[in-house]
Amino acid sequence: MILGMDKGKVALVVVCVALLVGLVFLVVYLKSVADYQRAVKDLVVREVALTDVADGTFAGACDVGFISAKVEVTVQAGRITDIALVEHKNERGAPAEAIIGDMVAAQRIDVDAVTGATNSSTVLKKAVENALRKGL
């Protein structure tokens, strides 16, 4: 017996504490999901005039919580010659990495998102935009 309580009461207290701790973790997790969803929704990706970007390699990043990306974009004579994906933290968004080649081929940021990986596509586009803006 603990503090004069029988085993049944101790078990009840332990279960109640465990439920309370679980509830706190659930609330924290749901808040982080809501923050992530808001961050993705608020992301605005804008084109950058490549002719205004200096020659060189520029690092860019975008982080919305559950998804983040770091890229290095190389520009030569007003053209994107390479986009290196340095890091891509994602849930199920790995297929979005295909847009890297699409952006190089199209010579623009505004390419179609990958179906089923829309949020990762948006984060990758924003990372590329952020890199290109460093060359302005």
Side-chain angles (χ1 to χ4, degrees):
M1 289 200 320
I2 299 174
L3 301 173
M5 294 192 289
D6 64 25
K7 289 181 182 180
K9 288 183 181 179
V10 169
L12 181 61
V13 168
V14 169
V15 168
C16 287
V17 168
L19 286 173
L20 184 60
V21 168
L23 182 62
V24 168
F25 279 111
L26 178 63
V27 167
V28 169
Y29 174 75
L30 290 176
K31 182 178 179 337
S32 64
V33 168
D35 291 345
Y36 152 74
Q37 290 172 333
R38 188 177 321 101
V40 171
K41 181 181 172 220
D42 292 345
L43 266 183
V44 176
V45 179
R46 292 187 173 86
E47 280 299 330
V48 175
L50 294 175
T51 55
D52 294 340
V53 179
D55 288 352
T57 300
F58 307 98
C62 181
D63 187 344
V64 293
F66 288 109
I67 301 172
S68 66
K70 292 180 183 177
V71 297
E72 290 181 349
V73 181
T74 302
V75 176
Q76 187 69 39
R79 295 187 52 80
I80 299 171
T81 58
D82 186 48
I83 300 174
L85 184 58
V86 177
E87 181 181 307
H88 182 209
K89 182 182 83 171
N90 61 77
E91 295 289 317
R92 297 174 305 272
E97 295 171 6
I99 70 164
I100 297 293
D102 295 345
M103 286 188 274
V104 173
Q107 291 296 300
R108 67 178 193 273
I109 300 168
D110 188 20
V111 296
D112 291 338
V114 174
T115 303
T118 305
N119 292 346
S120 281
S121 296
T122 302
V123 167
L124 289 166
K125 290 178 190 181
K126 190 64 178 181
V128 170
E129 176 194 344
N130 291 340
L132 289 171
R133 291 205 178 280
K134 290 182 179 175
L136 295 176

